[in-house]
Amino acid sequence: MVQTSQRTQLEDLDHKGQKKTKDTYSRDFNSRKQSWRLFKEHCPRLVFTGTFVLLLSITLYAYEEDGSSSHAQRNGFNVLTVILTLALGLNFFEVFRDVAKVARWRVLAYGMYKVNQMDDILRGESLMRLLRLMCKRPRSRRIILICATWILANLLAQGALAILALTWSFDQGHDSTSIITTQGSVNVTKLECYYNFNGTACADENPKFAESVQTIAHSYGDDIRSEHRCTVQDVLKDAHQECYYYVSDDDDSVFTLQYRQYNPDDDTYSYPYLTPRLITSSSGPCLQYAVNTLGPDSFISGTDGAGSILAIPYHNDTHNGTLDVPRELAGWDATTYVWTDKLAPQASVAQACGPRCLWMWAFRQWGPATKRPNAVFQCPISISEVTSADSPNFNTPDSVARLAAASIALNGRYTSSPPPGPGTLWSQAQFYPYGSYWEADGLSAQGVGSLMAEFAIGSLARVADLNPPMIVTDTQPVLGYVLEVKWQYYIPLATGILVFHALLLGLMLWTARRVVVVDESYLALTRLMGKLVLDGSLDGNQEGARGSELQLNGCLLNDAELARAIEERIENAGGISYWAKTNGDGTSTLVLGPKPLGDGQFLDGTYT
């Protein structure tokens, strides 16, 4: 005896052993249960679509948050996204096929068709078959509209998936925000001295041009105002932010320069690696002195002749003295920074406060614009060693540090007397009128020291920029690949794909109402079409059917030839439809063939 689980089932959605049928091949049909069965069978595809969209979104977000990626990581991303988009496209393609396989029964049940049209409708999951169906006669506006709408929906769905891949780009970066690092050759700046302007030699190598290094140090510091200054917090918020130099958050008299190094292939110096090597300039506690009243006797003789020096008497509670300022470098509502030693900063002992520290002076003069009292300021300016400098190539010598510390006052002026004269005597100062960034109007003593320290870090920064490079082995920056996702387009598209899939599922359930959906297997379809093809029965009843030559012949006929052979036998039947024949015992039989008037409803009940 054949076991129930092995029996051929015409429709197995409503029983599955839950209700005993009248005979071996009878099955009960219930429209509501059929819809529920279809939902359970096809809902996993909707879950798959949601899963693929979620995995794709996670992949995009993870790679975008990761920042720069290597070439291998980019290849991995491409593999992942191709797999996910292909899986999403294939799953979506199958959804359309599934809907078409269900909808064909409703289309067949609500119309009369030629045999060749019926054949195309049964294979409606193929878009080419739908195109053929639209062109076959007799043409039906309803069929043309259904086919055109379905083809357009397929194209729109596949187009949306293609457009989804256009919402991101994974291209090579072009600046320091997109670098990755490796060990290799790098360009680092030579820091052993201030090179001359053409970068061929240290500026202080030729004693005939001893003033060159002084003027270079000053011009480098004065140029810092063209660059962007940040705070430490700015740097912490974005490690890739290209801050030229930055000031401490809790002490505005401490400035830091972060050294950079470059890939030798980076000819334009566009993607530096910001190294852990730091150098700072800072001002210690500054002193402020009151100035005695200046008069005609305050002008004394100097190297430029009688009255060429303004001797400024200053004092505070514990100290007093005189600050000599060149007459042409003093003026109302202005600040003059003065290097007071007759020796160059590199060799100074009198103004040294450490191997990399110098005492610097400034004179702020009263004027009619501000009417502030005259004041003299004295500040110790220090330059630190370079942190994390694991090679002498990465450090700055004391001579460079001293030149930077004094750079705000240097102008390269000196007098030289051959022996037995006093030799070279430096007389350096710089004048900044009211309105200049470096003018000290309204600043405290510590504020003046902050300007001196900022000028010094600027001088060191230009050394790092303009000195010639050398090749060493260290952390090498390489341009990585940066993923950019246009989320404003991706999110609506991805959401639309999910919603469209859900609508397709709803369309499937709607088209399955009040119609029996036959199993899509070839065996089930063959069983349903057997009478039409082999015996040409007009009413689905085997009794009285005319014999058909197709029972024994025509195994190599194509679909068009078979359709013509069948049409010859049923030419007066009015066409083919899908309907249910009511039997005398109250049961129904599914028929794919000519349909008589007043019959064909798919009622809930038993089908044989």
Side-chain angles (χ1 to χ4, degrees):
M1 183 176 180
V2 181
Q3 298 297 319
T4 302
S5 61
Q6 296 175 329
R7 294 171 184 166
T8 304
Q9 300 177 1
L10 176 64
E11 173 58 64
D12 63 352
L13 65 135
D14 300 319
H15 50 88
K16 291 189 178 292
Q18 299 175 7
K19 184 175 181 180
K20 190 174 182 180
T21 55
K22 294 181 178 180
D23 57 57
T24 303
Y25 301 108
S26 297
R27 293 293 181 268
D28 292 323
F29 169 71
N30 182 282
S31 178
R32 183 180 59 82
K33 290 183 178 180
Q34 175 180 260
S35 297
W36 178 242
R37 191 262 300 179
L38 289 173
F39 176 79
K40 289 191 295 183
E41 286 182 355
H42 296 282
C43 188
R45 288 204 184 278
L46 179 60
V47 175
F48 290 156
T49 296
T51 301
F52 293 143
V53 169
L54 178 62
L55 291 176
L56 183 61
S57 302
I58 292 174
T59 300
L60 294 174
Y61 179 79
Y63 270 85
E64 189 177 47
E65 285 296 304
D66 190 47
S68 300
S69 300
S70 65
H71 186 72
Q73 290 173 320
R74 180 175 181 249
N75 288 340
F77 170 85
N78 289 335
V79 170
L80 281 175
T81 53
V82 167
I83 290 174
L84 290 173
T85 51
L86 282 178
L88 187 59
L90 291 173
N91 185 64
F92 224 59
F93 178 73
E94 288 299 319
V95 171
F96 277 92
R97 291 173 59 88
D98 292 342
V99 176
K101 289 176 181 179
V102 172
R104 61 188 175 183
W105 300 112
R106 188 175 185 90
V107 173
L108 286 171
Y110 287 85
M112 303 293 287
Y113 307 98
K114 295 291 185 180
V115 175
N116 58 356
Q117 290 177 317
M118 174 208 69
D119 185 42
D120 286 333
I121 292 173
L122 286 174
R123 292 190 285 176
E125 68 272 16
S126 168
L127 299 184
M128 294 304 299
R129 283 287 172 177
L130 295 182
L131 286 173
R132 287 178 56 179
L133 180 60
M134 293 171 63
C135 299
K136 285 184 177 180
R137 295 180 182 275
R139 292 190 177 94
S140 166
R141 290 183 179 179
R142 184 171 67 91
I143 288 298
I144 291 175
L145 179 61
I146 292 174
C147 294
T149 302
W150 191 245
I151 292 172
L152 180 61
N154 271 267
L155 295 177
L156 287 176
Q158 298 303 320
L161 292 172
I163 294 173
L164 190 67
L166 299 179
T167 59
W168 67 80
S169 60
F170 208 168
D171 300 322
Q172 194 170 40
H174 52 80
D175 57 27
S176 62
T177 62
S178 57
I179 65 168
I180 56 177
T181 57
T182 183
Q183 284 295 114
S185 298
V186 292
N187 272 340
V188 297
T189 305
K190 295 180 179 180
L191 302 176
E192 72 267 25
C193 65
Y194 281 84
Y195 272 72
N196 55 26
F197 285 114
N198 57 22
T200 57
C202 291
D204 55 357
E205 285 184 354
N206 190 341
K208 292 183 179 180
F209 303 104
E211 73 280 7
S212 295
V213 68
Q214 315 288 318
T215 57
I216 289 173
H218 176 80
S219 63
Y220 281 4
D222 203 22
D223 198 31
I224 193 64
R225 293 306 304 155
S226 64
E227 300 295 345
H228 179 54
R229 185 180 87 172
C230 305
T231 67
V232 174
Q233 286 301 317
D234 292 330
V235 178
L236 293 178
K237 289 176 184 176
D238 185 355
H240 291 290
Q241 183 174 341
E242 289 194 48
C243 294
Y244 197 73
Y245 70 106
Y246 51 91
V247 61
S248 174
D249 293 299
D250 54 2
D251 188 350
D252 60 4
S253 62
V254 178
F255 296 85
T256 303
L257 171 69
Q258 187 172 16
Y259 283 105
R260 309 171 184 184
Q261 56 196 34
Y262 297 84
N263 190 309
D265 295 331
D266 182 12
D267 297 330
T268 60
Y269 294 93
S270 58
Y271 54 99
Y273 167 63
L274 304 180
T275 74
R277 300 192 298 274
L278 307 175
I279 190 170
T280 62
S281 66
S282 60
S283 171
C286 294
L287 302 175
Q288 180 172 344
Y289 300 96
V291 175
N292 299 340
T293 302
L294 299 177
D297 57 346
S298 299
F299 296 97
I300 61 175
S301 298
T303 55
D304 291 333
S308 62
I309 298 294
L310 174 61
I312 304 168
Y314 62 85
H315 68 276
N316 61 13
D317 295 338
T318 60
H319 185 70
N320 61 80
T322 301
L323 178 66
D324 293 342
V325 176
R327 185 171 184 171
E328 71 275 12
L329 295 178
W332 283 351
D333 288 313
T335 300
T336 304
Y337 294 92
V338 183
W339 172 246
T340 59
D341 202 335
K342 299 303 181 182
L343 298 176
Q346 306 95 302
S348 176
V349 175
Q351 296 301 321
C353 46
R356 301 168 71 90
C357 176
L358 293 175
W359 285 100
M360 295 298 298
W361 295 78
F363 170 54
R364 208 292 167 180
Q365 189 169 3
W366 175 93
T370 60
K371 298 182 179 180
R372 300 184 188 277
N374 296 336
V376 169
F377 305 94
Q378 182 186 16
C379 298
I381 306 301
S382 300
I383 307 297
S384 72
E385 299 279 352
V386 178
T387 62
S388 303
D390 51 5
S391 167
N393 294 323
F394 298 149
N395 210 343
T396 56
D398 293 349
S399 59
V400 173
R402 285 184 164 218
L403 278 169
S407 58
I408 196 170
L410 302 182
N411 65 3
R413 291 201 65 193
Y414 70 95
T415 57
S416 181
S417 301
T424 300
L425 300 178
W426 293 92
S427 175
Q428 303 191 79
Q430 286 286 353
F431 174 81
Y432 291 96
Y434 180 72
S436 167
Y437 178 81
W438 306 109
E439 207 275 314
D441 177 57
L443 296 180
S444 65
Q446 208 59 40
V448 176
S450 178
L451 289 179
M452 296 176 178
E454 185 173 4
F455 201 101
I457 204 68
S459 185
L460 291 170
R462 278 295 183 247
V463 169
D465 275 349
L466 300 178
N467 273 13
M470 60 180 173
I471 301 293
V472 299
T473 300
D474 199 48
T475 303
Q476 182 189 73
V478 179
L479 280 179
Y481 295 88
V482 179
L483 176 65
E484 181 182 0
V485 183
K486 296 180 177 63
W487 293 106
Q488 69 272 28
Y489 303 122
Y490 174 84
I491 292 176
L493 274 173
T495 304
I497 289 171
L498 281 171
V499 172
F500 191 54
H501 190 152
L503 291 175
L504 287 176
L505 181 58
L507 177 64
M508 175 191 292
L509 299 179
W510 181 81
T511 56
R513 294 178 309 126
R514 309 305 299 176
V515 64
V516 177
V517 177
V518 180
D519 185 79
E520 65 182 58
S521 68
Y522 288 118
L523 290 175
L525 292 176
T526 302
R527 166 65 184 82
L528 184 62
M529 299 177 62
K531 294 180 179 180
L532 175 66
V533 175
L534 298 179
D535 60 31
S537 174
L538 298 183
D539 59 359
N541 188 350
Q542 184 65 26
E543 299 179 3
R546 292 179 297 166
S548 172
E549 294 182 358
L550 292 179
Q551 291 181 349
L552 301 174
N553 305 308
C555 62
L556 290 183
L557 297 181
N558 59 29
D559 58 344
E561 292 168 332
L562 285 171
R564 282 196 301 269
I566 297 172
E567 288 283 355
E568 289 175 358
R569 295 196 311 246
I570 61 173
E571 58 183 353
N572 297 321
I576 301 296
S577 185
Y578 175 52
W579 53 286
K581 175 190 174 184
T582 303
N583 301 318
D585 59 358
T587 63
S588 300
T589 301
L590 294 176
V591 180
L592 189 60
K595 178 181 177 182
L597 296 175
D599 207 345
Q601 294 184 4
F602 298 90
L603 303 176
D604 292 352
T606 301
Y607 284 74
T608 61

